[in-house]
Amino acid sequence: MERDKIRRDVTIKDVAKRAGVAISTVSRVLNGLDKVSEKTEKKVREAVAELGYVQNALAVSMVTGQTKTILMVVPDFTNDFNGSVIQGAEEYLKARGYTMLISSTRNFEEEDFENLYRRFSRLADGILVVQGSPDQMDYTRWEKPLVLVDAYRPQGDYHTIEIDNERGMFLLTEELIQNGHRRIGLIGGIPGESASGRRVAGYLAAMEQYHIQVDERLMALGSHFEETGSRAMAAFLSLPEGARPTGIVAVNNLTCVGCMKVLSERGMRAGREISLAAFDDHLLARYFVPGVTVIERPTIEMGREGARVLLMLLSGEEPGEKRLIMGSRLIRRESVVKR
C-alpha cells in the first residue's frame, strides 16, 4: 500500500507564490500595515483561502507589536456580577479577533496585583479591571491602556464604566422608608472615594433627607462577600427586640445571599420577620420565596462597553467622556413590607 503523503504546513511564502506577489505584500495585507490595491488584496485573500493558510500568532505580534490579547482582572469568581461583566467583554472582544485572559485577586491585595503585573504585563495589549473594594492600586505601572468597570474615579485619571451607585442605594433605602421603616440596617460597604463608598453615601443621604437618626450599631460595614452578610445579619438578630432593624439594605448580591442564608437557617423569611433590599439582581433574589427587592444594573452591557472603550484606546481613538454612567432600575418584590 502506498503511504499517504504528509502535507507540509503552508507558509507565507506559499501564499505569495500562489498570489504572484512579494512576501512583504502578503504580510501587509494580512496584518493591515498599509494599503494595497483592491485587486492585489483580493488575490492574496483568495490564495490564503485556497491553501488554508493560518497565521502564526507569535509572528504576527512581532510584526504588529500587538498580541490581540486583553487581560481582565476581577476581585473574585464567586460574584454573579463579575461573571456577567466577563461575558459581555468576552463576547465583544471575541467578535473582533481578541483573546481574553482572566484572573482574580480576592479584592485586589497588593501582592496579587504585583504577581499579575510580573506575569502578564507583556502578554496583554490592554487591561480591563473590575474594581475591588477598597481599591487603592497604582495602575500607572502597567503602562498599557486600561479601563475600569464598576469604578468611581472623580479625578478622571482613567476611563470608567459605572452607574450612579449613590442614587441606587438612596432608592433602596427610600423604599424601606416609604414602607414605614425607621430602624434600617446597612450591611457591607467601605466609606471613601469608590463605588462602595458611594453606596454608603446613598444610604446616609436617604436617612438624612427623611430626618431619620442613623444608629451606628446598624451600620455593619465591610467587604462585599457572603460572610459579611452572614455575620452582620446574625449580629442584628441578636440585638434586643427594640434595637433590631426592621429593614436591611445589603450593599451587593453576595452580602444579600449571606443575609438570606442566616434567615433560612433560623426559619425566618425576608418580608415577614424583617424586610430586605439589595444592590444587584441575582438568581436567588429572583426565585427565592419571597423574591428580593433589588437595584438591577446592565451587567453584561457594562462588560461590552468596557471592552469597546478599551479597543478604541488601543486604536488611538478618543472614546469621549472619561466617565460612562449607565442606567439602573429599582425592581420591587415581596421582601419589603409595610410597617
Side-chain angles (χ1 to χ4, degrees):
M1 181 186 292
E2 191 175 313
R3 289 185 179 180
D4 292 333
K5 291 183 179 179
I6 301 175
R7 185 174 176 272
R8 64 186 176 85
D9 290 339
V10 176
T11 67
I12 193 171
K13 184 176 180 181
D14 298 323
V15 175
K17 184 176 180 181
R18 174 66 66 92
V21 298
I23 293 174
S24 59
T25 301
V26 176
S27 179
R28 290 202 303 275
V29 169
L30 297 181
N31 298 318
L33 298 178
D34 54 285
K35 268 301 215 184
V36 299
S37 70
E38 188 176 327
K39 181 179 179 182
T40 299
E41 181 174 355
K42 183 180 178 184
K43 285 198 298 183
V44 170
R45 297 208 178 276
E46 285 177 348
V48 166
E50 290 168 4
L51 295 174
Y53 173 67
V54 178
Q55 281 181 285
N56 182 299
L58 178 60
V60 172
S61 71
M62 292 175 67
V63 172
T64 64
Q66 294 184 334
T67 64
K68 300 286 279 186
T69 299
I70 299 299
L71 173 63
M72 186 163 194
V73 185
V74 298
D76 66 277
F77 293 127
T78 62
N79 194 326
D80 289 347
F81 171 80
N82 296 333
S84 294
V85 174
I86 289 170
Q87 178 185 338
E90 185 177 40
E91 287 174 355
Y92 189 92
L93 292 170
K94 187 175 181 180
R96 287 153 184 82
Y98 280 79
T99 298
M100 195 164 75
L101 298 174
I102 308 168
S103 186
S104 70
T105 59
R106 186 62 174 184
N107 243 17
F108 286 60
E109 297 292 337
E110 184 73 44
E111 182 180 349
D112 289 336
F113 208 72
E114 186 67 23
N115 288 337
L116 282 177
Y117 174 79
R118 287 198 298 267
R119 291 169 60 192
F120 298 120
S121 59
R122 294 185 179 181
L123 294 178
D125 294 334
I127 302 101
L128 271 174
V129 178
V130 178
Q131 275 198 323
S133 179
D135 179 18
Q136 300 171 336
M137 296 301 107
D138 177 14
Y139 297 113
T140 58
R141 68 172 304 166
W142 283 85
E143 299 177 349
K144 298 281 180 75
L146 183 146
V147 173
L148 299 170
V149 179
D150 195 28
Y152 177 73
R153 307 282 286 205
Q155 64 268 44
D157 52 351
Y158 292 101
H159 284 274
T160 60
I161 313 299
E162 56 185 290
I163 67 157
D164 189 338
N165 285 281
E166 182 172 352
R167 178 65 178 163
M169 188 58 83
F170 182 98
L171 291 175
L172 284 175
T173 309
E174 184 180 56
E175 180 71 6
L176 287 164
I177 293 170
Q178 291 183 343
N179 278 279
H181 296 269
R182 292 297 178 268
R183 295 194 59 74
I184 300 171
L186 171 67
I187 295 182
I190 300 172
E193 294 299 301
S194 65
S196 175
R198 291 299 85 204
R199 294 183 194 178
V200 175
Y203 164 83
L204 294 173
M207 299 291 275
E208 181 180 2
Q209 180 166 312
Y210 286 89
H211 309 291
I212 300 173
Q213 180 89 24
V214 174
D215 185 341
E216 291 190 3
R217 291 177 298 174
L218 304 186
M219 290 185 67
L221 304 179
S223 57
H224 297 187
F225 293 108
E226 184 179 329
E227 54 265 33
T228 302
S230 297
R231 284 197 306 268
M233 178 61 86
F236 286 163
L237 293 177
S238 70
L239 291 171
E241 188 170 342
R244 284 181 206 162
T246 62
I248 288 172
V249 283
V251 79
N252 79 330
N253 53 1
L254 293 182
T255 52
C256 177
V257 169
C259 292
M260 297 165 74
K261 177 175 180 286
V262 170
L263 290 176
S264 179
E265 288 172 348
R266 299 190 181 201
M268 302 170 70
R269 280 177 48 183
R272 187 172 63 189
E273 288 87 356
I274 192 167
S275 288
L276 175 65
F279 229 94
D280 287 334
D281 203 8
H282 54 101
L283 283 173
L284 281 178
R286 288 196 291 274
Y287 300 122
F288 204 72
V289 179
V292 178
T293 293
V294 295
I295 288 290
E296 180 190 57
R297 294 190 281 173
T299 51
I300 293 175
E301 290 78 6
M302 290 174 77
R304 288 182 187 140
E305 284 300 299
R308 181 186 66 82
V309 170
L310 182 57
L311 293 196
M312 288 184 72
L313 293 174
L314 287 173
S315 67
E317 298 179 60
E318 178 49 55
E321 293 290 330
K322 283 289 186 74
R323 296 177 67 193
L324 175 58
I325 302 176
M326 304 183 73
S328 61
R329 65 181 181 131
L330 176 69
I331 299 178
R332 291 183 175 90
R333 298 192 178 113
E334 300 78 27
S335 65
V336 175
V337 293
K338 288 189 179 295
R339 287 285 295 169

